Amino acid sequence: MKKLTLSALTLALTCTLAACSKPTASPAATEAELPLQLVSQDLLQLTQAQLALGPVISGSLQPVTKAALNAEVSGIVMQVLKDNGDAVQAGDVLVKLDPTIYRDKLLSAQEAVRSAEVSLAQANRQLKRMQSLSKQNLVTQEGLESAENKANQSQSDLASAKARLVEARQQLEKTEVRAPFSGVVAQRYASAGDTAQVGKSLMLLIDPASIRFEGFIAADRVGQVKMGQQVRFKVNGYQGKFFTGTVERINPLANENTRQVQILVQMEKTAEPLVAGLYAEGHIESDNRQALMVPQSALVKEGDHAYLWQLKDNQLNKVPVELGEQDMRLGTQQILSGISAGATVLRHPQGALKEGAKAELVPASGAASQTAAQSGSGV
C-alpha cells in the first residue's frame, strides 16, 4: 500500500513538472500576428489626372542678346573696369587701351586739315584773280585752267585731310571699349598690361533678360511640334522647380551630326535671374488627356511586370497593373488596367510585404510607438 501511494505521488509530480515546462509562444510570433500599422501619409487614393504627352526636349539656356567685344585697334591694355558678373549700362567704359599713338595721329590730322584749308583758300583767291584777268584778256586760257586745277586739287586735299581726321578721331574713341547695351559681363578675357592686337577678345557681354531655352528633339517627333505650344522643363541647378515657355521657332535644318531638330523656346519671365549655359530638359505638351496616374514610387516592378499594393478591407493585396504613357513633367505613370480610380494603395511599398497581410489605419500619434515595426516593413 505504501508503494502504491509513493508511485501515485511520483506520477503526479512528474505531470506537474511537465506542465510547467510547456513552451510558450515567442514574442516574435506574437508580433507577426499584429496588423501592420499605417498612417494617412503612407496611403494614396488613385484619381484621374491630366496626362501631358509630347516630345522630350533637351538643351541649354542661351541669351539672345550677347556681344563678343574685341579690340578694334591695337595697343596696351591700360585698365579693365568691369569683371565677371558686373552689371553694366549701355555706353559704360569697360576696357581702356593706351591712347598715346592715336592722340598723336588725331593732332596730326587736325594740323593737316588746317593746312589744307589754308591751301584751298589761297587757291580760291588765285582762281578769282585769274578769272578777273581772263575777262580783260590779260592771261592765257592755259593760266586760267592751271588755277582751276590747283583749286580743285586743294579741295580734294582738304576732303582727304578731313577723312583722315575722322578716322583718327574714331581710332582714339576705340581705345575705350564701351558696352553696346545694358547687361552683365559674362567673361573677361583681358587684363591690364596685355598687348591687344586688332581682333583680340576682351569681354563677353550678355543680357540675362533675353535668355531662352534652345533645345533639340528627335527628328521623328518634329511633326508633333507647332508654334505656340507650351513647353515645361527643368533646369540643372534649380532643383525641384519647373519652368514654362512657348515654342517660338522651329529650325528648318536638322543638326548634321545628330539629325536632331532645334527648337527655340521663349521663356516666361521669372523673378530670379537665370544663369546662361545651364543644361535643361523637359517636354513639349502636344497632347493632354485625363488618365489614371500614379507616382513612380508607388509602383513595384519585377521584370516586365508592374504591381501596386492595394489596401482593401484592412488587407494588403499585390495587384498586377498594365502601364501606359509616362508624364515627363511630373514623372507619373499612366495605369491602363488592373485597378480603378478610388482604390487605396501604398505610396512607398518597400520591405518584406506579404500578400494578404493585415493592416490598419491609425492616427499618426498612435503609430509613433510602432516605428520599429514600420521600419521593418519599409512603409
Side-chain angles (χ1 to χ4, degrees):
M1 187 66 179
K2 291 183 178 180
K3 289 185 178 181
L4 181 59
T5 303
L6 182 59
S7 298
L9 182 59
T10 303
L11 180 60
L13 182 60
T14 303
C15 293
T16 302
L17 293 176
C20 293
S21 61
K22 183 178 179 180
T24 58
S26 64
T30 302
E31 184 179 343
E33 296 173 358
L34 294 175
L36 187 64
Q37 304 290 306
L38 299 173
V39 294
S40 58
Q41 290 82 358
D42 298 326
L43 302 176
L44 172 69
Q45 188 173 26
L46 301 184
T47 58
Q48 295 281 331
Q50 187 181 63
L51 170 61
L53 301 176
V56 174
I57 180 172
S58 60
S60 61
L61 303 184
Q62 296 296 336
V64 178
T65 304
K66 61 181 178 180
L69 305 181
N70 301 326
E72 298 184 72
V73 293
S74 59
I76 304 299
V77 177
M78 302 298 291
Q79 285 182 288
V80 179
L81 303 177
K82 299 294 182 179
D83 207 341
N84 295 343
D86 287 342
V88 301
Q89 299 297 320
D92 286 353
V93 178
L94 307 180
V95 180
K96 287 185 177 182
L97 303 179
D98 186 1
T100 304
I101 297 177
Y102 304 101
R103 189 180 293 115
D104 292 342
K105 286 184 178 182
L106 178 62
L107 294 175
S108 177
Q110 290 172 340
E111 290 299 325
V113 168
R114 284 192 286 268
S115 177
E117 289 174 342
V118 171
S119 297
L120 177 60
Q122 292 176 346
N124 286 334
R125 288 194 297 269
Q126 180 66 16
L127 176 60
K128 288 182 179 180
R129 285 194 297 268
M130 297 300 289
Q131 290 173 341
S132 177
L133 293 175
S134 176
K135 291 178 181 180
Q136 302 175 21
N137 296 322
L138 297 178
V139 294
T140 63
Q141 185 64 27
E142 182 179 3
L144 178 61
E145 291 177 353
S146 176
E148 290 177 345
N149 291 337
K150 187 173 182 180
N152 291 336
Q153 183 62 45
S154 297
Q155 183 68 41
S156 298
D157 291 343
L158 177 60
S160 298
K162 287 183 177 180
R164 289 193 296 272
L165 176 61
V166 171
E167 181 182 7
R169 185 174 289 113
Q170 288 177 342
Q171 288 182 329
L172 181 61
E173 291 175 352
K174 289 176 181 178
T175 59
E176 292 186 346
V177 180
R178 297 178 179 271
F181 54 83
S182 298
V184 176
V185 176
Q187 187 66 54
R188 188 195 74 176
Y189 300 110
S191 299
D194 289 351
T195 300
Q197 301 297 331
V198 175
K200 175 182 172 59
S201 297
L202 301 176
M203 279 190 178
L204 176 63
L205 188 66
I206 68 171
D207 180 9
S210 70
I211 286 180
R212 66 183 177 187
F213 179 21
E214 298 182 3
F216 291 85
I217 64 170
D220 58 353
R221 306 296 297 273
V222 69
Q224 303 176 19
V225 182
K226 295 180 177 59
M227 304 284 286
Q229 285 179 333
Q230 189 175 33
V231 182
R232 185 179 173 90
F233 57 95
K234 296 185 294 184
V235 178
N236 186 26
Y238 297 86
Q239 285 79 8
K241 185 173 183 179
F242 283 91
F243 296 87
T244 57
T246 55
V247 176
E248 182 182 20
R249 290 188 182 87
I250 303 173
N251 196 327
L253 181 64
N255 185 279
E256 294 182 357
N257 298 322
T258 64
R259 299 304 175 188
Q260 292 182 320
V261 179
Q262 186 184 45
I263 305 296
L264 303 179
V265 179
Q266 182 178 12
M267 298 179 56
E268 294 184 359
K269 299 299 182 182
T270 59
E272 58 183 323
L274 298 176
V275 178
L278 292 180
Y279 176 78
E281 184 178 22
H283 85 286
I284 301 171
E285 297 184 2
S286 60
D287 183 25
N288 291 309
R289 66 176 75 132
Q290 290 293 313
L292 185 62
M293 308 297 295
V294 297
Q296 293 287 342
S297 61
L299 290 169
V300 176
K301 295 183 179 180
E302 298 176 359
D304 296 332
H305 303 284
Y307 303 89
L308 290 172
W309 280 93
Q310 182 181 8
L311 177 63
K312 185 177 182 181
D313 298 329
N314 290 336
Q315 182 174 314
L316 290 175
N317 297 305
K318 190 177 182 181
V319 180
V321 293
E322 181 183 357
L323 303 182
E325 300 285 347
Q326 183 177 3
D327 191 328
M328 300 302 296
R329 301 173 308 161
L330 308 175
T332 54
Q333 187 76 48
Q334 180 188 16
I335 302 298
L336 297 177
S337 62
I339 201 168
S340 58
T344 301
V345 299
L346 294 184
R347 191 185 299 271
H348 301 284
Q350 299 175 359
L353 297 174
K354 294 182 179 180
E355 177 71 22
K358 296 297 181 179
E360 63 180 5
L361 182 64
V362 298
S365 58
S369 61
Q370 301 293 336
T371 303
Q374 296 301 324
S375 61
S377 65
V379 179

